[in-house]
Amino acid sequence: MIYEMRTYQVQPGKAGEFLRMYQEQGLPLISRYAQLVGCWAKESGVLNSVVFLWAYDDLGHRTGQRAKMAKDAEWAAFVPSMLPYLVHQESVFLSPAAFSPLA
């Protein structure tokens, strides 16, 4: 397994609104292509940030799934609704250690 940790810094005071919109509109769409492991609102570090952890079989699987999602008209229509919330976005890939519960 490979995990993608995607962090979105959103406009100050908009994290709750962003998460509600994402849960209602985005999650049903992206869940066609990726498995959500968890989602968190950050309480320290860079504030006004939310973190998603997505699971894929490997990097090839992730690349293929993202390519399919990019061709999804519903996803393409949803993405512009996220953009007004975003200040910064970061994507980090994580490989679990052999003893990790997520390995």
Side-chain angles (χ1 to χ4, degrees):
M1 295 293 296
I2 189 99
Y3 297 91
E4 181 180 13
M5 181 176 64
R6 293 181 71 93
T7 303
Y8 298 99
Q9 182 184 6
V10 298
Q11 299 291 335
K14 296 290 186 176
E17 185 179 322
F18 173 78
L19 285 170
R20 279 188 299 280
M21 181 272 303
Y22 197 94
Q23 180 184 10
E24 293 169 6
Q25 300 172 32
L27 191 58
L29 302 173
I30 195 170
S31 293
R32 298 173 186 169
Y33 306 99
Q35 177 190 351
L36 181 65
V37 175
C39 179
W40 299 266
K42 290 178 71 173
E43 298 293 334
S44 63
V46 178
L47 300 178
N48 303 304
S49 295
V50 296
V51 179
F52 291 87
L53 189 63
W54 301 98
Y56 299 94
D57 296 339
D58 53 38
L59 283 174
H61 179 235
R62 188 259 182 197
T63 299
Q65 293 300 95
R66 294 291 295 189
K68 290 177 190 174
M69 188 170 69
K71 294 177 184 176
D72 185 322
E74 289 181 277
W75 177 254
F78 166 72
V79 169
S81 65
M82 284 191 348
L83 298 181
Y85 290 97
L86 300 183
V87 173
H88 180 78
Q89 176 180 331
E90 181 179 20
S91 180
V92 175
F93 295 102
L94 307 166
S95 295
F99 57 84
S100 172
L102 296 177

